[in-house]
Amino acid sequence: MIAYTTYLTVRTKKRYEILDITDHVERVREESKLRDGLIFVSAMHITASVFVNDHEPGLWADIMDWLERLAPAKPDYRHHQTGEDNADAHLKRMLLGQQVFVPVTEGKLDLGPWERVHYGEFDGQRPKRILFKAMGLP
Amino acid sequence: MIAYTTYLTVRTKKRYEILDITDHVERVREESKLRDGLIFVSAMHITASVFVNDHEPGLWADIMDWLERLAPAKPDYRHHQTGEDNADAHLKRMLLGQQVFVPVTEGKLDLGPWERVHYGEFDGQRPKRILFKAMGLP
Amino acid sequence: MIAYTTYLTVRTKKRYEILDITDHVERVREESKLRDGLIFVSAMHITASVFVNDHEPGLWADIMDWLERLAPAKPDYRHHQTGEDNADAHLKRMLLGQQVFVPVTEGKLDLGPWERVHYGEFDGQRPKRILFKAMGLP
């Protein structure tokens, strides 16, 4: 049984940004030599998401607008009494989710036609880590 | 160690529909001979969800109304400039989530009293696939 | 390969409450002797969540206010025609998610600097169960 762990550090240019990280998941599959199992992908910071959706910049903009409507950046969160200014990022990350699994079957990422793995950053411009753990059969 | 993969194709009659797929998860458990582990259930299309909630049609209608309130179908999404008309489905699927795990213990689905696995379709009336992967001990 | 299952019963004092259960996840790791793998943590009731976020009571209050804004408690849900009064809890639990995995690497919970595992209760004051399943290598 394989249990292979690796980390990716990302630093987005903007405070709010969506990145397609599917190619990195594929690299993890190659390094791990996993042939049948699951690759766990998890944001290690609580102001970021990992989710599966379409690689389409128009949709990414729709997602960011929609998150801002449902969980707006504004000054009056209680969390900001601690000196923080990112409560909206903590909420936005919940809406998209914090971790996903990518199935691997017969040595390939077993994704549907449009499924791509994305990292959603809501408090960026500094180093953030993503954890990958491949588990299953070689 | 078992790693058993299978797929289910569903085609809903309506564009928006919720299906209880727990019986199919039980079939996957039987076929896989899994006695202790987890069954991964994932929507392979990015306009559908997999989630755990109550088997209660009144609640299903509440869920659909609520999704429409938070992520309405409307023409002015940027995603629609690509020719698509289903941006709301991409957003709705995020609110309910895209994948769940069903635990298996001593050869049985280890679910709470009201837990049922559901498939949420938000752009249906065409074939869509769900991936199942049973992993663990026989 | 390890597959170790255990359950925790919680009974919150309030109907709506957030609990940090990270210390219990650590206990499960110790009991299971898992050195490399994942610990699955899942709410077995459909009116509760498991999620990863900051251990900060101000943020917890922000989360509860935000959930109430997006999925308010009110009498007119269809689900209430069955005699229930907790449809909002079924919706709130979807927003935060129902299950998470905690990675274990080299015998330690492999969490980011602020990641803590939380249980979100939206229909409490009675016993509820959480399932833990540790899977991987000893």
Side-chain angles (χ1 to χ4, degrees), chain A residues 1 36-38 50-54 56 58-59 61-63 65-66 69-70 95-96 99-105 110-116 135-137, chain B residues 1-5 7 40 42-47 69-72 74 76-80 82 87 90-95 98-99 101 129 131 133 135:
Chain A
M1 180 190 166
D36 198 343
L38 296 168
V50 174
F51 62 97
V52 174
N53 218 313
D54 201 353
E56 203 281 283
L59 181 67
D62 290 330
I63 290 171
D65 287 353
W66 175 70
R69 184 165 69 78
L70 294 189
L95 287 172
L96 298 194
Q99 42 187 231
V100 300
F101 283 82
V102 179
V104 172
T105 310
D110 197 352
L111 293 168
W114 304 102
E115 283 191 289
R116 300 284 294 180
M135 289 185 66
L137 297 170
Chain B
M1 179 188 166
I2 287 171
Y4 173 84
T5 307
Y7 310 86
F40 174 66
S42 182
M44 298 188 80
H45 294 259
I46 52 190
T47 49
R69 185 165 69 79
L70 294 189
K74 55 179 188 174
D76 62 338
Y77 290 107
R78 285 188 193 80
H79 184 49
H80 295 174
T82 65
H90 289 271
L91 302 179
K92 286 177 168 109
R93 91 80 150 242
M94 306 278 227
L95 287 172
Q98 60 225 18
Q99 42 188 230
F101 283 81
R129 291 210 301 164
L131 179 147
K133 196 180 280 276
M135 291 185 66

Side-chain angles (χ1 to χ4, degrees), chain A residues 107-126:
Chain A
K108 291 187 181 154
L109 301 188
D110 197 352
L111 293 168
W114 304 102
E115 283 191 289
R116 300 284 294 180
V117 185
H118 292 85
Y119 175 76
E121 176 64 81
F122 312 114
D123 187 17
Q125 299 170 315
R126 54 201 174 104

Side-chain angles (χ1 to χ4, degrees), chain A residues 1 3 5 7 40 43-44 46 70-72 77-79 82 90-91 93-95 98-99 101 131 133 135, chain C residues 36-38 51-54 56 58-59 61-62 65-66 69 95-96 100-101 104-105 110 112 114-115 135-136:
Chain A
M1 180 190 166
T5 307
Y7 309 87
F40 174 67
M44 298 188 79
I46 51 190
L70 294 189
Y77 289 106
R78 285 188 194 79
H79 184 49
T82 65
H90 289 270
L91 302 179
R93 90 82 151 240
M94 308 277 227
L95 287 172
Q98 61 224 20
Q99 42 187 231
F101 283 82
L131 179 147
K133 197 180 278 278
M135 289 185 66
Chain C
D36 198 342
L38 297 167
F51 63 97
V52 174
N53 218 312
D54 202 353
E56 203 280 283
L59 181 67
D62 290 330
D65 286 353
W66 175 70
R69 185 166 68 79
L95 287 171
L96 299 193
V100 300
F101 283 81
V104 173
T105 309
D110 197 353
W114 303 102
E115 281 190 291
M135 290 185 67

Side-chain angles (χ1 to χ4, degrees), chain C residues 2 4-5 12 18 22 25 39 43-44 46 48 50 52-53 60 64 71 88 105 110 116 125 128 130 137:
Chain C
I2 287 171
Y4 174 85
T5 307
T12 57
I18 289 174
T22 315
V25 179
I39 301 176
M44 298 188 80
I46 52 190
V50 175
V52 174
N53 218 312
W60 299 349
M64 282 295 189
D88 71 301
T105 309
D110 197 353
R116 300 284 294 179
Q125 299 171 315
K128 298 281 195 89
I130 307 168
L137 296 170

